Structure formats: C-alpha cells, structure tokens
Amino acid sequence: MLASSLLANYCTALHDDQALKVDKYLHHFQLSDKTLMDLSVRFRREMDRGLSRDTNPTAAVKMLPTFVRSTPDGTEHGEFLALDLGGSNFRVLLVKVMANGKQEVEMENQIYEIPEHIMRGCGSELFDHIADCLANFLEKLGIKDKKLPLGFTFSFPCQQTKLDESVLVYWTKSFRAYGVEGKDVVSLLKKSIQKRGDFDVDILAVINDTVGTMMTCGYDDHHCEIGLIVGTGTNACYMEQMRNLELLDGDEGRMCVNTEWGAFGDDGSLEDLRTDVDREIDAGSLNPGKQLFEKMISGLYLGEVVRLILRELSVMRHLCSRGRDLTDIKRRRLSTLSPEEEEGVERAEEVLRGLGLDPLVEDCIATQRVCQVVSTRSAHLCAAALVAVLRQIRDNKAAEKLRTTIGVDGSVYKNHSEFSRRLHKMVRRLVPDCDVRFLQSQCGSGKGAAMVTAVAYRLAVQQAERQRVLDTLRLSREQLLDVKRRMSEDMERGLSKQNHEQSSVKMLPSYVRDTPDGTEHGDFLALDLGGSSFRVLLVRVRSGKGHNVDMHHKIYSIPQETMQGTGEELFSHIVDCIADFLEYMGMSGASLPLGFTFSFPCYQTKIDQGILLKWTKGFNASGCEGQDVLTLLKDAVRRRREFDLNFVAVVNDTVGTMMTCCYEDPQCEVGLIVGTGTNCCYMEEMQNIERVEGDDGRMCVNMEWGAFGENGELDDFCTAFDHLVDDSSNYPGKQRYEKMISGMYLGEIVRNVLIDFTSKGLLFRGKLSERLKTRGIFETKFLAQIESDRLAMRQVRSILQHLGLTISTCDDSVLVKEVCSVVSRRAAQLCGAGLAAVVDKIRQNRNLNQLSITVGVDGTLYKTHPHFSSIMQETLQDLAPQCQVTFHKSEDGSGKGAALITAVACRVKSAEQQ
Ligand code: 0WK
Ligand code: 0WK
Ligand code: BGC
Ligand code: BGC
C-alpha cells in the first residue's frame, strides 16, 4: 500500500512539475477572463461591422443573411431529402415529417465518402459525385421516381439572396474544388443532376450547418435561437432582428444570420492573441490568412497546434523521448489526440507510440497538459465569441435576463467532453445574467435542413395558393381591353332609344349643355348630397371671366338611420341643415336660387327635375325611388315654413365636378367620381342622345357607369369575393362595376380575401378573429394607409392591431399589404378601362385621330389613395393611346359646379324671358 501511495505522490509531483513547465511555455495560450471579455467585446464590434451596410464590405466577420425566418409551425408534413456536406462526413438523408402535429420525424441516412481528390479537384466533379451519391441513396430506397423537395446543408461561407440560391464566397476546411467559388451551388448541383438525367429533385433551400443545427434543436426546444458548430471547422448562427440587417430591406421580425466567425481576425484584429504556432499553422494551411479564428479552435487544426507545440517543447528539451524526433511526424496524425481524462496520460502514450515515439511518462504528462491548454484555449475563444452573440440577442430583446438555448454539433464538441464542459463553464462565467442551455444535436443538421425545406415547402405551397387566389383579382391587358369594349358597347345601347332598356349603363341626360360665359353673377345656394359628407354651400358668382367665385360651406352628417329611414325624414333633415346654414351665414329667410348635387341615378327631362331611379351607396330612404327629388325637397321646405328657395337645378356629382373644373380649364368635358361610389359623365353629341330631342351641340350625359355589369357584362371578371360583397350589400346584383371599384366596397373585398386566407391557414396563423368577421371593419381608408410607401410594416401592423387583429405577424402585414394593392390595382385598372371607352368615344364623335381633353375628378379614393390615380392613368394611356388626358383634381367639390350650373340656368332662363 505504501509503495502505491508513494508512487501516486511521485506521479502527482512529476505531473505538476511537467504541467508547470508546459504552462510556463504556453502562457500566451492561456487567456484570462479579462482578455476573453475584451475579445468578446472585440467580436461584438466585428458583428456590428458585418451587419452594417457601410462596413460590411471590409468586415472580416461577414454576418451572412440566411433567409431562414420562419420556424416550423407544426403543420409541416411530407418527405424531404437533405444533403449534409462540409463536416467530417457527407450524408444523404430522407426525412419524413409526420402530419400528426406531434412533431414526429422519421429519418434514414447514408454516409458517403468524399475522396480528397474530389474535394480538391474540379468543381463539376465534386457536384457530379454528390449527384451520384444522391442517386445511389434514392435507388436504395426505391424512390428514384419521386421528385422530392431537397434541403442542402452546405457548410461553407455563402452569399445568399434567397433561400434557394447560394453563392460560395470561398472554400474552408479541406475543400478546394476549383470553379465553384463565386458560383451558385444550387445551379451547380442542378446541372450535375440534369447531367445524370435519371432522377430529379426540387432544391428548395441551401443552409449552413450551424443553421441546420439550430433548426434541428429548435424542433424540440423552441428557445433555440443559436446554432454552434465546433467540429472540423467552427461557426455560429443566431436569430437577428431584421432592423439590424442593414443589407436587407424590411425591419420587422427576425432572420437567422450565419456569422462565419471562423474568419474573425482575418483583418489582423487577433494578432495580439495569435501565437507563432498559430501563424505556422496558417502558413501551412490550404488557405493562409483566412479563417484565423477557426484555426485556433476547430478540430482540423487543434491536433496540428499540439504537434507544433510538442515539436517546440522537444526542441527545447522539455520533452526527452527516445527514438524519432517529433519534428518529422506527419501532419494530422495528431488530430485524434484528446487525452484528458485520468486515463489521459495512457492515451497520450498510446498516441505518441502510435506516432512511432517511445515517450517517457513526463512526455505523456506534458503532452496531456499541452492538449489541455490547447483545447481550453479553443473552448474559451469559442465562449468569448458566443458571449458576444448572447449579448446581442439580449440587447435586441431589451431583456433583463436572457433565457435561450444553443443547439450544438461537431466532433470536437461531441467527442471532447472536457471541451464542452469548459465552454459551458466559461460562457456562464462571462455572462452570469443569461440563462443559457446547450442542446447537443442528436440528428445532425440534415434534419434541420429538412425542417427548413419543409417550412420553405409549406411557405411555397401557401404562397402558390395565395397567388392563385390573388391571380383571380389580377386583370390582363386583354381582359381590360374587353372591359373597355363592353363599356363602349353598353354606352351605345344606353344612348339608343331602341336598346336603352338592355343597357346597364343608363347614359342619363343631365340637361346641362352650356358652360358659364362670365356674365353670370349673384348668390346661389348649393347642396352636395351623396358623397361621404353632406355639404351646404353659398356660392357668390361675380361676372367676368374665371376665378370670380367665392364660396362658404358647412359640412353636415347624415346619420345612418336617416339614410335608411323615410324619404320625409331625409329631406326634412336636409332642410334643417339648410336652415342652420342660412342662419350661420346670417341669411335666415333668404330665398336663393338652389342647385342640388344629388349623387344618385336620376332620370331627368329637364334641369330642375330628377326622378330617382334607385338608391346606391349607403342610402335607402323609403318613398323616394321614382320620385322627383326636387319635389321631395320642396315639400320638406314647405313643411318647415321658414324660408323658401328657387329650385333651379339638380345635378349629379360627376356633372357638378365637371363644371367646377371646367370653370378653371375649359377643356374639361368629362367628370369622374371615385369615392364612396363611382361614376362618370361627359359632353356627348346631342345627335347621339337619341332619347332627347335635338341634334345640335352637346349635352352632358351622366353615364351611371356604376351599374355596368348588372346584365352580366362583368361576370367573367367577378370573383368569389365580389359575389360575397354583392350578396351582403344593400342591393345585390346592382352596381356591379361600382362594387369592384369604389371606396364603399374595396375594404370589404379585402376583408373577404383576408377571411379566405385565414380560413386556409395562410394568414394570422389561421385564427379567424371576431373582428375580422365584422362587416365594414376594413374601411377603404385603411387600404390607402396600408399601401402608402412611407408606412413601415410595423405601422401596417398597428393598423391591423387597431382592427383587433392583434395576432398578426410581420409576414401577415406583408400579405395584407399585397392583398390591398391587388384589390386597389384592379379597381384603378377597371376605372381606367371605363374611362378609355369614354374618351375614345368623344374622339370618335369628333372624328379626331388625336384628342386632348381634361377630366375633372373628385372623390376620397382618387384623392387619398397613394397609387390609384397613377395606375388608372397608366391603364387609360395604354388603352386609349390616341387621347391625351389631363386630370384636374377638383378642389372645391361639385357644389361649386352645381352653383355654376344654376347660375347658367338662371342666365339662360332670364335671357329666354326677355
Ligand atoms: C454534424 C452536422 C453537419 C456538420 C458537422 C460538423 O450534421 O452538418 O457540418 O456536424 O461537425 P464535424 O463533422 O465537422 O465534426
Ligand atoms: C366631393 C364632391 C361630392 C362627391 C364626392 C364624392 O363634392 O359631390 O359626391 O366628392 O367623393 P366621396 O365623398 O364619396 O369620397
Ligand atoms: C465554414 C462554416 C461552417 C463551419 C462548421 C467553417 O469552415 O466556413 O460555414 O459552418 O466551418 O462546419
Ligand atoms: C351613384 C352616382 C354617383 C356616384 C359617385 C354612385 O353610386 O349612382 O350617381 O355619381 O355614386 O358618387
């Protein structure tokens, strides 16, 4: 017993003495916490440089976007192929993701060798080899005939612009195949597979092994947002905030960033820590000057570091082994050295003997100590960089205490237990305020690659379904030309005495034929009813050409119940407003000529009579349809017995708008409203207005184009959403064209598309909120706001939250914005096609090859929507190229126009009476 304890003490003393000697020689391999913390801060700075647009080009740590943004949501299912290239083994995998929501996955894989001459040979040979292995794998599984989605783990620095395109920046580790750097590895693989021609795959994703590892571990632990590899090479990735990824557009949500931290120091920023051994390793490597951080940490180099140190120690006679000298021991032979456990010394002896040496115990102890120091440095360097990543995530989340999981893989981490222990320990020492868990990947990054592919596949299928649905709302040029042609034909029918009944577009004569000649003067009262607000105006016209009009107006609301109540209540409410206005203007009891802008389809036989054909928009007051609205107004004035008015004219808001703009620009001969409703009027040749006597001159025709489609003219363009909007409207089957264009309905079309997408799980995670089911909640003003370019996605999100759609994600906001733009684009194009029919008719009326004309336009949608007017004008220009159309936005509303028409009517009447 004495003997063995004496021997044990002797060994311990010898051991400590040797260790001391080695430590002294390797002091610059031992990094203090202060140095490590400083290194961590340095690395954090490098990360910022890599993330920023300005410094990225010169940054050593490239912080490469991976386009991996979404994690599995449990709906993924199916069979996915995965390739895992770049670690010590090349693996081909088949991953079956079960559709049972239990996150179950079945995997089959096969390891294939990549011979060195292939790694260093011609790039096409390498990818041909990969394709051959894949073919062999498919053959074995008897699934060569299937075209399966494939995810490719390609563990080298790659620049990506999307998930399925990845350009190799440069080779690392032992790969050096030429003709690959600067190329998209997906195209290279596709080429090799096509070359074979006996099978095909759908390459949906290329990812780095760190990303695959994070996704593999993330499938079991949703806290996993960092992927770490310490194997042949070393690297890490993590989920970064989009707003910090300056190289990419968009600032909502997160994306996984592949740091490629192996290159840390390639710009000389680690020279104070690198040793001569590190420099010798680098000088002797396949890529001198590159991957300097990796060469201090990863498995491909650790053994070499130990060998060079042992060589130095033997040169300095710190090692006195007998027999061969360590200097001529072949490279790499030492890569498997990890002799640390108690049996470490024996293991060291085994290894050194394996190298043809005859080591003394001291040599084995020294060798063990060297291994301890080298791998400790490696683990601590890794820890320092990881701490920088942890701090970045904590600060991104503004979290007091960060709780996170790091998914890890790699032979050094897995096979070198002391390495992982030291790494964990140092990380927790450097960031005690973070609750960090390490989750060792059991299935390799291939599973993660399959997960990314499954998510990409789900997103692709979802995107395809979204686009399929949105395509039903997208109109081709041919379809728009069709709309124009059908509108033209229906206008002809509307104008003709014979076919008028068959037309949807009623082409109603307005009895407005003249424009002001400058002699008009006096005060005129105007009412403007039918848009989003009811206005009473006093318009003072002074004689003389242009700009001789002063206006005062007051806006009144028309309560819903009045709009939908009795006609008497509605017109009494109007008269109450007139009385209030006259009082407000200090003109109570004044009897003024009145012009009534009544923005609904009215049949007129003269300017001071308008038989309401049908209500539109939100109005539905009883007892009005078929009645003369001026009579209804007169009755209401009479009922009030407070003042009297001279009812001179009733005009449509399109006509009022045309006249208002014509007062500024005499070329204005078309009036367009795109607001709550939509409609158009224009100056038609009397000879074409067959239902009105006389062939001379022109008269303004109120087209009431909102009704276009009531006879099925638009059925082949109507989507399920249009039918839903029509069915739930006040008067189904009516105003079909209006229901595809105007502000009262666009929000509803969008809401129905969003409901469809949500019910299909394509939006809001498939959760249909009560709010979204509420009719009218998605007001058209939200479309205009959501589509404004100035609005960041997060503002879109706040609109959705305001609408009670609190569960929306960034992707949801992007999709909602797309739906809004598709719906409003169709509306603008349909409007442009209708207008093309109108201006071309005027051109043909006048046998002109080229027509210059002005369109006076008003309406909230036209005025407030960021893109409506430009898209409408583009469509018009494209479909009516022989017409130069100027748009004159009405600033004063149609009330002014109504007053001018009244003034003209008064002038004409007094001229007739003279
Ligand atoms: C296993 C992963 C693979 C990764 C490798 C790294 O599936 O993607 O490249 O770990 O470790 P190595 O094999 O280089 O030790
Ligand atoms: C302002 C005009 C009014 C017209 C309205 C249409 O003065 O006559 O009805 O535009 O736009 P909306 O208010 O429906 O958006
Ligand atoms: C590569 C990385 C890879 C790491 C681990 C490095 O050499 O540049 O892309 O993640 O090795 O395999
Ligand atoms: C009405 C038209 C009006 C248009 C714009 C439509 O609903 O039928 O008369 O011009 O809305 O306000």
Side-chain angles (χ1 to χ4, degrees):
M1 186 47 197
L2 181 59
S4 59
S5 61
L6 274 178
L7 182 59
N9 291 348
Y10 165 71
C11 283
T12 316
L14 178 65
H15 189 285
D16 296 352
D17 175 41
Q18 276 302 84
L20 213 59
K21 231 189 277 168
V22 169
D23 286 2
K24 200 153 143 293
Y25 170 68
L26 292 180
H27 70 276
H28 38 264
F29 271 76
Q30 284 156 347
L31 309 171
S32 66
D33 290 14
K34 183 176 168 316
T35 304
L36 290 171
M37 196 44 92
D38 164 57
L39 179 69
S40 182
V41 172
R42 227 186 284 182
F43 183 68
R44 180 85 182 273
R45 244 196 328 269
E46 278 301 315
M47 289 171 67
D48 292 344
R49 281 171 46 77
L51 288 171
S52 111
R53 180 185 297 280
D54 306 343
T55 50
N56 174 278
T58 54
V61 179
K62 287 295 181 196
M63 307 298 280
L64 300 167
T66 67
F67 294 85
V68 171
R69 303 190 56 181
S70 314
T71 48
D73 67 356
T75 63
E76 294 75 18
H77 59 279
E79 291 186 323
F80 303 93
L81 288 169
L83 300 176
D84 184 354
L85 179 78
S88 35
N89 299 308
F90 168 51
R91 245 181 285 251
V92 181
L93 306 93
L94 176 69
V95 180
K96 289 191 187 134
V97 182
M98 306 309 173
N100 57 14
K102 292 205 203 92
Q103 309 257 118
E104 271 169 20
V105 167
E106 281 173 18
M107 287 172 49
E108 295 184 59
N109 76 85
Q110 173 89 29
I111 292 179
Y112 291 88
E113 205 218 339
I114 306 271
E116 194 157 283
H117 72 274
I118 296 270
M119 281 188 192
R120 312 266 173 84
C122 162
S124 58
E125 276 172 26
L126 170 64
F127 285 90
D128 291 355
H129 177 72
I130 294 169
D132 296 348
C133 299
L134 187 49
N136 173 278
F137 182 76
L138 296 172
E139 187 95 44
K140 276 215 182 89
L141 295 188
I143 54 174
K144 226 176 174 180
D145 56 340
K146 287 188 181 172
K147 181 178 180 180
L148 292 175
L150 180 139
F152 188 4
T153 300
F154 185 77
S155 308
F156 302 93
C158 287
Q159 197 75 47
Q160 293 192 257
T161 51
K162 53 187 173 155
L163 196 56
D164 57 353
E165 189 184 272
S166 193
V167 173
L168 174 64
V169 182
Y170 55 78
W171 284 117
T172 64
K173 293 170 276 191
S174 312
F175 282 73
R176 215 34 97 258
Y178 53 88
V180 183
E181 288 176 343
K183 300 269 177 45
D184 169 25
V185 293
V186 172
S187 322
L188 292 174
L189 181 56
K190 279 187 182 155
K191 218 153 112 212
S192 294
I193 291 172
Q194 272 145 20
K195 220 187 292 177
R196 284 188 59 100
D198 59 345
F199 73 92
D200 198 4
V201 293
D202 193 2
I203 305 172
L204 290 186
V206 179
I207 60 167
N208 185 263
D209 54 354
T210 54
V211 181
T213 300
M214 181 191 78
M215 287 297 270
T216 296
C217 298
Y219 203 54
D220 306 322
D221 175 342
H222 292 321
H223 285 98
C224 185
E225 54 195 337
I226 299 173
L228 170 67
I229 295 282
V230 191
T232 316
T234 182
N235 188 15
C237 72
Y238 69 101
M239 295 304 286
E240 176 58 88
Q241 302 290 354
M242 279 298 288
R243 66 171 177 274
N244 296 335
L245 282 163
E246 291 180 11
L247 292 168
L248 296 183
D249 296 334
D251 54 10
E252 280 273 336
R254 303 198 297 170
M255 178 185 284
C256 181
V257 167
N258 167 14
T259 67
E260 282 297 337
W261 73 12
F264 181 29
D266 287 11
D267 57 356
S269 59
L270 285 180
E271 285 318 302
D272 57 335
L273 292 179
R274 292 183 61 227
T275 65
D276 292 346
V277 168
D278 297 316
R279 292 189 183 86
E280 186 173 349
I281 294 269
D282 177 48
S285 72
L286 284 175
N287 53 351
K290 289 220 177 285
Q291 301 293 98
L292 298 182
F293 191 57
E294 174 165 86
K295 288 168 182 166
M296 300 164 83
I297 292 175
S298 78
L300 186 59
Y301 308 98
L302 282 186
E304 202 43 18
V305 173
V306 170
R307 181 184 73 82
L308 293 183
I309 292 169
L310 291 179
R311 185 199 62 196
E312 291 311 308
L313 288 174
S314 69
V315 170
M316 298 153 62
R317 294 274 156 260
H318 283 332
L319 288 185
C320 43
S321 55
R322 289 178 298 276
R324 289 182 36 216
D325 173 353
L326 274 171
T327 50
D328 64 359
I329 290 173
K330 282 276 150 292
R331 297 167 57 75
R332 298 211 182 295
R333 291 291 305 278
L334 273 179
S335 61
T336 53
L337 186 62
S338 59
E340 292 211 29
E341 293 76 18
E342 282 327 304
E343 77 282 355
V345 173
E346 289 119 26
R347 182 85 184 83
E349 183 189 3
E350 250 177 60
V351 170
L352 293 173
R353 287 201 186 289
L355 299 169
L357 297 167
D358 177 13
L360 301 174
V361 173
E362 299 85 319
D363 301 337
C364 300
I365 293 169
T367 303
Q368 182 196 38
R369 183 65 192 149
V370 170
C371 292
Q372 269 170 356
V373 170
V374 169
S375 72
T376 301
R377 180 183 76 158
S378 163
H380 289 179
L381 288 170
C382 213
L386 257 183
V387 162
V389 173
L390 290 165
R391 286 217 164 90
Q392 176 79 2
I393 296 175
R394 187 198 55 206
D395 297 353
N396 283 349
K397 295 182 177 178
E400 264 311 295
K401 188 167 175 51
L402 176 68
R403 156 77 184 89
T404 192
T405 298
I406 302 173
V408 197
D409 207 335
S411 49
V412 172
Y413 182 90
K414 279 185 162 170
N415 310 338
H416 200 321
S417 58
E418 286 305 305
F419 177 93
S420 50
R421 188 182 60 73
R422 288 196 186 101
L423 172 67
H424 303 172
K425 193 161 161 235
M426 183 51 77
V427 167
R428 296 193 176 118
R429 199 152 81 208
L430 295 176
V431 277
D433 55 346
C434 291
D435 173 0
V436 184
R437 318 239 172 126
F438 288 81
L439 181 57
Q440 188 169 311
S441 163
Q442 299 311 331
C443 318
S445 67
K447 176 180 171 184
M451 281 303 130
V452 169
T453 309
V455 172
Y457 188 71
R458 167 173 59 80
L459 295 176
V461 169
Q462 288 178 339
Q463 186 56 9
E465 173 57 10
R466 287 186 197 116
Q467 293 315 316
R468 185 194 64 73
V469 171
L470 289 176
D471 282 349
T472 63
L473 290 157
R474 292 189 174 111
L475 299 173
S476 67
R477 186 170 189 280
E478 288 60 44
Q479 289 175 309
L480 290 168
L481 274 171
D482 249 351
V483 172
K484 178 192 174 191
R485 182 177 50 73
R486 294 177 196 180
M487 179 69 88
S488 305
E489 290 161 4
D490 210 43
M491 288 168 72
E492 296 299 346
R493 277 192 292 272
L495 287 169
S496 85
K497 199 175 268 177
Q498 194 186 352
N499 305 322
H500 178 77
E501 289 314 317
Q502 282 77 49
S503 76
S504 307
V505 180
K506 292 303 179 194
M507 306 300 280
L508 304 168
S510 70
Y511 290 84
V512 171
R513 304 189 56 182
D514 306 307
T515 51
D517 65 2
T519 61
E520 298 77 12
H521 60 281
D523 287 352
F524 300 90
L525 197 63
L527 306 178
D528 184 354
L529 178 76
S532 42
S533 53
F534 170 49
R535 263 174 278 229
V536 182
L537 307 90
L538 175 70
V539 180
R540 180 159 295 152
V541 181
R542 285 187 304 282
S543 55
K545 270 278 170 239
H547 309 300
N548 283 319
V549 170
D550 295 334
M551 287 172 35
H552 302 276
H553 77 273
K554 201 171 172 189
I555 293 181
Y556 295 87
S557 72
I558 307 278
Q560 184 90 4
E561 62 275 15
T562 308
M563 284 186 189
Q564 316 236 334
T566 66
E568 270 205 21
E569 285 159 354
L570 172 63
F571 281 88
S572 298
H573 176 75
I574 291 171
V575 171
D576 296 348
C577 298
I578 297 172
D580 172 82
F581 179 74
L582 290 174
E583 191 186 337
Y584 163 79
M585 293 299 292
M587 303 169 77
S588 294
S591 172
L592 295 168
L594 172 99
F596 188 4
T597 301
F598 185 76
S599 310
F600 302 93
C602 289
Y603 176 68
Q604 296 186 259
T605 55
K606 53 188 176 170
I607 195 136
D608 59 350
Q609 180 203 55
I611 308 296
L612 175 61
L613 295 174
K614 63 179 178 184
W615 283 118
T616 65
K617 290 171 277 188
F619 282 71
N620 210 0
S622 58
C624 299
E625 290 178 342
Q627 304 298 315
D628 170 23
V629 291
L630 273 188
T631 305
L632 293 173
L633 187 60
K634 279 179 196 157
D635 296 348
V637 169
R638 210 170 293 121
R639 278 196 300 275
R640 192 179 172 95
R641 276 195 285 278
E642 190 181 307
F643 56 82
D644 193 9
L645 297 170
N646 170 11
F647 300 90
V648 174
V650 56
V651 298
N652 185 261
D653 54 353
T654 55
V655 181
T657 297
M658 183 192 78
M659 191 57 85
T660 297
C661 298
C662 170
Y663 198 62
E664 319 282 327
D665 172 351
Q667 270 211 311
C668 181
E669 298 184 81
V670 178
L672 173 68
I673 295 286
V674 190
T676 316
T678 184
N679 188 14
C680 185
C681 74
Y682 70 99
M683 296 307 287
E684 179 56 88
E685 309 303 323
M686 280 300 291
Q687 79 238 9
N688 297 338
I689 308 174
E690 293 174 8
R691 296 184 307 140
V692 178
E693 295 308 311
D695 288 343
D696 300 338
R698 299 178 181 135
M699 175 187 284
C700 182
V701 167
N702 166 16
M703 296 177 61
E704 285 299 334
W705 77 2
F708 183 47
E710 289 184 7
N711 296 333
E713 299 92 340
L714 293 172
D715 285 1
D716 46 358
F717 303 135
C718 270
T719 67
F721 310 111
D722 297 309
H723 291 299
L724 282 169
V725 168
D726 182 49
D727 296 348
S728 62
S729 73
N730 292 347
Y731 12 76
K734 299 294 182 194
Q735 301 293 97
R736 299 309 301 270
Y737 188 57
E738 176 163 89
K739 285 171 181 167
M740 297 166 87
I741 292 176
S742 78
M744 182 156 185
Y745 305 100
L746 289 190
E748 274 301 283
I749 299 172
V750 168
R751 186 177 68 86
N752 280 292
V753 175
L754 300 185
I755 288 176
D756 176 70
F757 280 1
T758 308
S759 57
K760 289 173 180 161
L762 306 176
L763 190 63
F764 307 135
R765 301 208 183 99
K767 296 202 176 51
L768 204 54
S769 72
E770 282 315 307
R771 294 274 278 175
L772 192 57
K773 293 184 209 158
T774 318
R775 208 167 140 231
I777 190 183
F778 209 103
E779 295 166 49
T780 298
K781 71 175 182 201
F782 293 132
L783 262 87
Q785 289 165 5
I786 286 172
E787 286 186 64
S788 109
D789 302 338
R790 282 191 319 285
L791 214 63
M793 269 311 145
R794 73 173 156 280
Q795 285 152 317
V796 174
R797 210 130 151 230
S798 60
I799 291 174
L800 295 179
Q801 262 134 19
H802 164 73
L803 288 170
L805 305 166
T806 49
I807 46 169
S808 68
T809 65
C810 152
D811 294 345
D812 290 332
S813 307
V814 173
L815 180 57
V816 169
K817 185 166 183 169
E818 185 180 9
V819 173
C820 292
S821 74
V822 168
V823 170
S824 62
R825 180 174 188 79
R826 181 186 71 160
Q829 290 177 317
L830 283 170
C831 210
L835 207 50
V838 174
V839 291
D840 248 353
K841 171 112 179 42
I842 296 172
R843 181 181 62 78
Q844 285 145 5
N845 282 353
R846 301 172 191 182
N847 299 323
L848 296 172
N849 187 29
Q850 292 291 329
L851 171 77
S852 288
I853 193 163
T854 298
V855 173
V857 56
D858 206 335
T860 323
L861 183 57
Y862 182 90
K863 282 183 166 175
T864 60
H865 192 283
H867 309 300
F868 191 99
S869 55
S870 56
I871 294 169
M872 186 188 79
Q873 290 174 30
E874 271 162 35
T875 308
L876 172 63
Q877 189 54 43
D878 177 26
L879 302 186
Q882 296 166 273
C883 302
Q884 277 62 52
V885 180
T886 307
F887 284 83
H888 187 115
K889 220 189 284 186
S890 166
E891 299 311 336
D892 302 320
S894 66
K896 176 180 176 181
L900 290 167
I901 289 166
T902 306
V904 171
C906 294
R907 167 177 57 78
V908 172
K909 203 168 187 173
S910 60
E912 282 165 1
Q913 284 160 351
Q914 271 148 22

